[in-house]
Amino acid sequence: NGKLSYIEAITMQMIPDALRPTACSALSVGGSITESGHRISLRNLEWNLGSAAQMTRIHAVEHMKKGDRSLTSISVLGLLDMITSVNDDGVMIGILDVGTVNHMEFVYEDKKCYTFEIRYALEEFDNARDAAKFLNGECEDFTWCNNLLVTDDKDAFCCENPTGEATEAGRAIPVIRDVNTPLMEGLVWDTPDALCIINSFATEGNQDGFTGNLGETNRFVKYNNWVKEVGIFSVADMKGIMAREVVDQYEVVNVHSSGTVHTVIVDYATGDIHVAFTYGKCADDIPEYILVGNYGDK
């Protein structure tokens, strides 16, 4: 009816814990393969834009303060949980859906909202390693299996977070994956100082969401080839990764798809946060970025 009720406002905060129409990706390149010698991290958020693309009319950049700490959240108007965020120490975290290969029962009683656990991590930790350890240690209390991009200037991690039920059933294991973690059989990644994340666990011995899933496999292969082709990255090169496909998106699995909500790039050489927002019914083939601030701003 065009008006938010109290219940609707509360329900909005729990969307990532209850709904899953999503296909995201992330890429973080370390200082050894950047022109500046500092890390550059990218996260592409895909979601259901709404029956009339309503989601694209309520983009929000929220600056939150807690004592002497602060964080910047790239989100949707009215959301207080974390989808893509970076704190004033440069810890960046983004959510990526995973789920289970053979669907398990949805368990929500006595569970935690993982996006609010991310908010806690951003408020409490000043480095990616400690934030990743905390979030991976909490994963048995989450409602869905998920991947989390967790980076700072020094490190990049993927928290491969299975639910407690998935772990108990022997389907998955909690892992903090970095650029040195062995990948599952069939996955090839050729650039040592770059971490790629999509909507599947990738660690050797973990749940396999790639086999029989061309959408996941194709995106991982594309990222691998593009990173090799670029070689040494600037921020402009990272932006260019999202502009490599001008194709019929209903015929080809795109990395930067029509359902992209936003793309966020953090440049650790400057602290600048670059964001491309989708406006209208479909993301542009060549996204336009705006500078929304610096993560060091208090």
Side-chain angles (χ1 to χ4, degrees):
N1 62 3
K3 297 181 180 180
L4 279 176
S5 69
Y6 174 77
I7 295 299
E8 287 170 337
I10 294 296
T11 303
M12 286 170 59
Q13 315 302 320
M14 297 184 288
I15 286 175
D17 299 282
L19 300 176
R20 34 191 335 108
T22 174
C24 306
S25 62
L27 176 68
S28 185
V29 294
S32 69
I33 56 171
T34 65
E35 291 180 358
S36 67
H38 292 271
R39 180 173 303 281
I40 305 171
S41 293
L42 172 150
R43 143 342 168 274
N44 192 57
L45 171 68
E46 297 170 78
W47 195 257
N48 187 328
L49 300 179
S51 58
Q54 300 97 318
M55 295 287 286
T56 68
R57 299 199 294 269
I58 53 172
H59 294 299
V61 179
E62 302 166 345
H63 193 68
M64 303 181 183
K65 298 187 68 173
K66 181 179 181 182
D68 61 352
R69 308 292 302 280
S70 68
L71 62 87
T72 302
S73 175
I74 315 303
S75 185
V76 172
L77 190 64
L79 292 189
L80 300 176
D81 60 344
M82 300 293 109
I83 297 173
T84 309
S85 303
V86 54
N87 71 14
D88 56 2
D89 292 298
V91 180
M92 177 188 186
I93 304 180
I95 66 173
L96 299 91
D97 187 26
V98 173
T100 51
V101 173
N102 299 308
H103 298 298
M104 300 183 68
E105 181 182 359
F106 176 62
V107 178
Y108 60 89
E109 291 183 350
D110 299 320
K111 294 288 189 174
K112 298 177 180 178
C113 291
Y114 76 94
T115 49
F116 277 95
E117 295 302 293
I118 292 171
R119 178 170 170 170
Y120 175 84
L122 289 166
E123 292 173 345
E124 296 297 323
F125 298 108
D126 63 3
N127 65 89
R129 187 174 297 275
D130 288 343
K133 287 180 180 178
F134 168 76
L135 291 165
N136 196 235
E138 294 283 294
C139 68
E140 68 177 22
D141 293 327
F142 299 157
T143 57
W144 298 122
C145 301
N146 59 71
N147 279 331
L148 300 181
L149 168 72
V150 186
T151 77
D152 58 19
D153 190 11
K154 180 182 177 181
D155 292 309
F157 304 105
C158 174
C159 291
E160 298 188 355
N161 289 336
T163 63
E165 291 75 21
T167 301
E168 291 170 8
R171 299 188 182 189
I173 54 175
V175 175
I176 299 175
R177 177 166 65 90
D178 63 15
V179 295
N180 299 311
T181 304
L183 299 179
M184 62 181 57
E185 185 177 355
L187 289 186
V188 176
W189 188 259
D190 296 306
T191 305
D193 200 12
L195 182 73
C196 177
I197 309 172
I198 53 176
N199 299 101
S200 299
F201 297 154
T203 298
E204 182 180 50
N206 216 346
Q207 174 185 258
D208 180 5
F210 286 95
T211 300
N213 189 334
L214 290 178
E216 299 298 281
T217 303
N218 287 350
R219 290 188 296 148
F220 195 86
V221 169
K222 286 179 180 180
Y223 268 115
N224 182 52
N225 292 337
W226 295 343
V227 171
K228 279 195 301 181
E229 290 172 11
V230 173
I232 302 296
F233 277 81
S234 65
V235 172
D237 291 319
M238 188 65 97
K239 291 178 179 179
I241 287 285
M242 290 290 105
R244 284 186 164 235
E245 297 173 294
V246 182
V247 294
D248 185 340
Q249 300 197 26
Y250 294 98
E251 298 292 334
V252 177
V253 176
N254 274 25
V255 169
H256 181 257
S257 78
S258 59
T260 294
V261 179
H262 66 233
T263 305
V264 180
I265 296 174
V266 173
D267 176 14
Y268 284 97
T270 63
D272 288 341
I273 306 169
H274 304 261
V275 183
F277 294 106
T278 294
Y279 301 101
K281 294 183 179 180
C282 181
D284 293 331
D285 286 323
I286 301 176
E288 181 177 344
Y289 292 83
I290 59 175
L291 181 63
V292 301
N294 187 289
Y295 66 68
D297 292 341
K298 296 291 185 179

